[in-house]
Amino acid sequence: MKSHTRVAVIGGGVIGCSVLYHLTKFGWNDVMLIEQSELTSGSTWHAAGGFHTLNADTNMAALQGYTIGLYKEIEEISGQSCGLHHVGGITLAGTPDRMDCLGAERADHRYMGLETHLVTPEEIRELSPITNTDGVLGALYDPLDGHLDPSGTTHAYARAAQKQGAEIVLRNRVLETNPRPDGSWELVTEQGTVIADYVVNAAGLWAREVGEMAGIYLPLHPMEHQYLATDKIDEVVNHGTELPHVMDPEGESYLRQERQGLVIGFYEQECDPWAVDGTPWDFGHELLPDNLDRISDAMAFAFKRFPVLEKAGIKNIINGPFTFAPDGNPLVGPVPGLKNYWSACGVMAGFSQGGGVGLTLAEWMIDGEPSRDVFAMDVSRFGDYCTRSYTRIKVRENYQRRFSVSYPNEELPAARPFHTTPAYGIWKSQNAVFGSAYGMEAVNYFAPEGEDPYEIPSFRRSNAFDTVAGECQAVRTAVGINEIHNFSKFEVTGEGALGWIDIVMAGRMPREGRLTLAPMLSPKGKLFGDFTISNLGDERYQMNASYASQSYHMRWFEDHLPDSGVEVRNISQQRIGFQIAGPSSRELLSRVARGDVSNEAFPFSVSGTCRSARARPLCKGFPIPGTWAMKSMCLPTSRLPSMTR
Ligand SMILES: Cc1cc2nc3c(=O)[nH]c(=O)nc-3n(C[C@H](O)[C@H](O)[C@H](O)COP(=O)(O)OP(=O)(O)OC[C@H]3O[C@@H](n4cnc5c(N)ncnc54)[C@H](O)[C@@H]3O)c2cc1C
């Protein structure tokens, strides 16, 4: 084993091997992978091996398409078969909403250059005669769907990487990861010590434990998952060609052919988080005890959907764990707060997403940024708020919702309310409908009196439409208040502050007492953020952007700060704020603020004016707190708390 490497990848599952392959593909050959046992010793060996492009996030869907297209390439380079079966796949729709959802996916797919089609029940029966289409309205057909051999595929990535110069060290557990003053890492392993310029945590089922070695918490949790393989089924044998995959979201199941029988897996409601206190180091080559009771309802549904299953014998039952992040997407990229430490974990669909994860990480590490928008899998989308218990609750919710329709206006209920501002109780008493981002509750709108404070998720105009239109009208003609706690806030101070902001932001920086809008661009010209920058004087600036992106932005700032002369503090949770808007806003401001807020003293201008001012308490019991942060709703004057009317 060499003693120094440019990149050390920890973990030889499908993800670690894909990362290793992509680094070598882009010319970084001084790289190594360290695996505690044999390749595929974690979740990878017991995967069902299915792959597809379906993903609610368009960029993720495109990366899944990339992954599927990659298998031929690694087969050619490595000479190792991936055991590919490109049989196509159908996702059934049993409700009009599901049909809308599949239509939306289809539109995304076309935009991303993926060729999927909507098909009728008759066409479904032609493609998959074993499917009972009673109650089915249609389906999305994806010709790219298929399955493969998980072990062959992982070895194909690994061999291709080795052929391109990578080293793979097996039976060698990483015991410690220690940062060094020059930004490199010392990896203490069973076979000795390695110094690496970069570390990639691709430890899958053990990613939490490996993260702890570097003092970080990665928000992911393993869940148990079961699938069954049947004995030979005559209808399958007699079909002639291999049957396509059938995903039946209403039945929470996915099904495919395996030799002369079928494999069917379930994402059941009664699911179990696994290894809550940590993945044991001696786990790896065994399965978990099966639990058919847990999937009995889903199986009963499957017997109706696929009647051939009822008479089929069960050959084996697989119950294995694999990891999920709270929103089900991978955790990829540089870990905020740590230099040269990267994450490639939390991947719940390694054979649909592994290629995209490897590609993204390698591009990012080598070029400084990935070639497409990958925020949906950026490890920085979660912050400190994401505790162990929050993660576990959200991961369970995500598993249960694996086959639920994802609506564009949907707010998920688990672990809520989590963070709130002191104004939360007031909004709640006004029948607020809340949304949540980055763990923070924020008002989306106010439901009419007597109505449930709930926006019914839909692909069409929801029940909120008329109410929100009324709120907009009220702001247009009078005044409205917006709590802006769900904007992030950064304080920039120091003699070099202005010069530094000028470098990281596009646009002209404001004079003292003024504010401006400024996009933050990457060196390749991509939009990284949309900021409001206030010049508060005395070399002090406040920059506001998206609350949900605070860790993402802070990582960028830390990476681009000079050694001295500038300090950036994330004060998102320390400043509360309200925005008032509309023709009567100055009148409202004059009633609640001390000092002169007339047009002469506090002029309105396109670039904006900013000033520190002390507010009068609005009323008893309405605190203006010193801690907490800001955004969200429009409160029409008629619904303003009485003290501000
Ligand atoms: C029952 C089941 C069915 C599934 N079906 C599918 C499917 O059909 N399609 C699909 O795409 N996905 C499926 N999956 C999910 C898929 O298995 C995972 O997405 C994938 O295996 C994740 O791979 P990984 O490399 O991230 O993690 P892992 O496979 O867990 O690999 C991590 C590796 O890191 C090594 N490691 C850990 N710690 C250390 C250390 N300290 N030092 C050195 N090495 C270390 C481990 O030994 C292991 O080999 C299924 C999962 C299960 C459980």
Side-chain angles (χ1 to χ4, degrees):
M1 184 175 74
K2 56 185 168 188
S3 58
H4 181 272
T5 183
R6 198 167 193 181
V7 186
V9 180
I10 305 173
V14 63
I15 300 304
C17 292
S18 169
V19 168
L20 194 73
Y21 166 69
H22 281 89
L23 288 168
T24 60
K25 178 174 174 171
F26 299 139
W28 279 23
N29 312 109
D30 177 15
V31 294
M32 71 192 295
L33 182 148
I34 306 174
E35 163 56 47
Q36 63 179 340
S37 179
E38 305 299 328
L39 296 181
T40 77
S41 290
S43 300
T44 299
W45 77 265
H46 43 57
F51 54 78
H52 54 83
T53 55
L54 220 60
N55 193 297
D57 183 90
T58 317
N59 285 302
M60 289 297 300
L63 284 172
Q64 294 184 192
Y66 165 81
T67 301
I68 297 169
L70 187 69
Y71 292 131
K72 284 267 169 258
E73 175 180 314
I74 56 171
E75 280 187 336
E76 272 164 30
I77 299 175
S78 66
Q80 160 73 49
S81 165
C82 295
L84 287 173
H85 294 249
H86 274 296
V87 291
I90 315 163
T91 303
L92 305 178
T95 63
D97 275 15
R98 175 81 57 190
M99 221 41 224
D100 282 350
C101 178
L102 295 181
E105 284 259 356
R106 152 117 180 86
D108 279 352
H109 284 165
R110 276 175 65 174
Y111 173 64
M112 288 290 168
L114 300 167
E115 259 318 308
T116 53
H117 316 278
L118 291 173
V119 291
T120 62
E122 294 72 43
E123 289 170 309
I124 295 168
R125 288 195 296 275
E126 267 169 43
L127 288 159
S128 173
I130 60 166
T131 303
N132 171 4
T133 55
D134 286 355
V136 173
L137 304 177
L140 185 75
Y141 175 69
D142 182 354
L144 283 184
D145 264 32
H147 56 274
L148 44 64
D149 166 20
S151 168
T153 302
T154 308
H155 281 90
Y157 276 125
R159 272 188 211 166
Q162 280 172 313
K163 281 196 169 171
Q164 295 173 163
E167 179 178 348
I168 294 181
V169 184
L170 301 178
R171 295 173 289 285
N172 185 27
R173 180 173 303 158
V174 173
L175 304 168
E176 291 174 28
T177 56
N178 304 314
R180 287 159 45 96
D182 66 354
S184 64
W185 286 81
E186 174 196 69
L187 274 67
V188 180
T189 78
E190 287 172 335
Q191 294 177 24
T193 297
V194 184
I195 306 298
D197 298 345
Y198 300 86
V199 175
V200 180
N201 178 346
L205 275 181
W206 296 266
R208 291 176 299 174
E209 289 68 32
V210 170
E212 276 165 21
M213 293 176 192
I216 51 163
Y217 170 65
L218 288 164
L220 55 88
H221 205 287
M223 295 291 295
E224 291 190 21
H225 180 66
Q226 295 184 95
Y227 67 87
L228 329 171
T230 73
D231 290 327
K232 175 178 158 187
I233 297 175
D234 289 342
E235 288 82 345
V236 173
V237 178
N238 296 337
H239 184 247
T241 54
E242 192 169 353
L243 288 160
H245 290 197
V246 183
M247 212 184 281
D248 182 16
E250 268 70 53
E252 297 170 333
S253 73
Y254 58 88
L255 172 129
R256 70 166 171 85
Q257 184 172 338
E258 167 88 359
R259 298 199 171 86
Q260 297 185 315
L262 294 168
V263 158
I264 182 162
F266 301 97
Y267 279 87
E268 69 283 5
Q269 293 303 304
E270 287 307 312
C271 51
D272 268 345
W274 181 76
V276 172
D277 297 323
T279 303
W281 284 110
D282 58 0
F283 182 82
H285 293 278
E286 62 272 54
L287 289 169
L288 304 172
D290 44 76
N291 182 345
L292 288 182
D293 284 349
R294 218 173 60 205
I295 54 173
S296 58
D297 287 351
M299 274 173 71
F301 197 96
F303 287 162
K304 289 193 197 123
R305 180 66 71 221
F306 310 105
V308 294
L309 285 175
E310 222 168 345
K311 53 183 183 193
I314 295 178
K315 194 160 67 181
N316 51 33
I317 304 170
I318 306 286
N319 185 14
F322 63 129
T323 57
F324 291 74
D327 59 5
N329 277 334
L331 300 170
V332 180
V335 173
L338 283 187
K339 209 168 164 47
N340 299 331
Y341 189 99
W342 293 63
S343 167
C345 48
V347 186
M348 57 79 52
F351 297 96
S352 296
Q353 301 174 333
V357 168
L359 171 80
T360 300
L361 191 139
E363 283 180 343
W364 203 337
M365 192 178 271
I366 294 169
D367 299 341
E369 58 185 282
S371 58
R372 63 171 68 236
D373 174 8
V374 292
F375 189 75
M377 63 167 161
D378 189 327
V379 62
S380 75
R381 71 191 185 279
F382 298 106
D384 292 345
Y385 75 92
C386 205
T387 58
R388 276 165 206 278
S389 50
Y390 180 90
T391 303
R392 194 170 62 249
I393 294 168
K394 289 308 256 185
V395 163
R396 188 164 192 272
E397 177 186 57
N398 186 275
Y399 186 98
Q400 290 171 321
R401 294 181 45 81
R402 172 83 176 104
F403 283 144
S404 301
V405 174
S406 297
Y407 295 93
N409 61 340
E410 190 164 23
E411 295 288 344
L412 303 181
R416 303 218 3 232
F418 197 59
H419 285 174
T420 57
T421 67
Y424 177 79
I426 294 176
W427 311 141
K428 200 165 165 57
S429 71
Q430 299 274 321
N431 219 19
V433 178
F434 290 94
S436 165
Y438 208 77
M440 177 63 86
E441 296 293 320
V443 181
N444 286 343
Y445 70 99
F446 289 85
E449 251 168 61
E451 225 178 64
D452 255 6
Y454 179 65
E455 181 178 6
I456 300 165
S458 172
F459 285 90
R460 290 147 199 267
R461 278 187 183 168
S462 80
N463 58 324
F465 189 80
D466 290 339
T467 312
V468 172
E471 292 182 353
C472 294
Q473 187 61 24
V475 173
R476 189 70 199 265
T477 53
V479 58
I481 291 184
N482 203 29
E483 190 182 8
I484 52 165
H485 62 297
N486 59 351
F487 280 95
S488 63
K489 278 146 256 100
F490 300 93
E491 186 182 64
V492 188
T493 51
E495 58 189 17
L498 180 60
W500 178 77
I501 297 175
D502 214 3
I503 289 171
V504 291
M505 300 289 168
R508 280 191 177 195
M509 292 308 111
R511 297 197 313 271
E512 185 169 336
R514 306 301 284 261
L515 53 89
T516 192
L517 300 178
M520 183 162 75
L521 305 178
S522 75
K524 292 188 178 170
K526 293 210 194 78
L527 190 62
F528 261 28
D530 192 16
F531 282 78
T532 305
I533 301 172
S534 311
N535 184 339
L536 304 174
D538 295 333
E539 292 167 344
R540 209 158 57 85
Y541 297 82
Q542 181 169 315
M543 309 196 300
N544 297 3
S546 151
Y547 188 78
S549 303
Q550 58 187 274
S551 174
Y552 171 75
H553 287 148
M554 196 63 195
R555 180 181 63 194
W556 184 255
F557 295 151
E558 283 175 349
D559 282 353
H560 293 84
L561 272 178
D563 290 340
S564 62
V566 190
E567 196 195 341
V568 181
R569 284 197 312 132
N570 183 353
I571 53 168
S572 303
Q573 300 209 345
Q574 285 152 35
R575 274 190 198 160
I576 192 150
F578 298 92
Q579 176 189 50
I580 54 176
S584 306
S585 50
R586 193 180 297 278
E587 188 199 328
L588 174 59
L589 186 63
S590 68
R591 282 202 264 154
V592 297
R594 289 202 177 101
D596 185 0
V597 292
S598 66
N599 194 38
E600 290 68 42
F602 200 55
F604 175 82
S605 73
V606 176
S607 60
T609 312
C610 60
R611 194 167 89 192
S612 299
R614 303 258 313 266
R616 288 197 290 268
L618 296 177
C619 75
K620 269 194 203 152
F622 191 103
I624 303 288
T627 54
W628 281 115
M630 351 296 158
K631 160 187 170 184
S632 162
M633 98 297 163
C634 283
L635 187 62
T637 30
S638 60
R639 319 268 331 271
L640 283 174
S642 55
M643 59 281 184
T644 61
R645 263 200 231 127

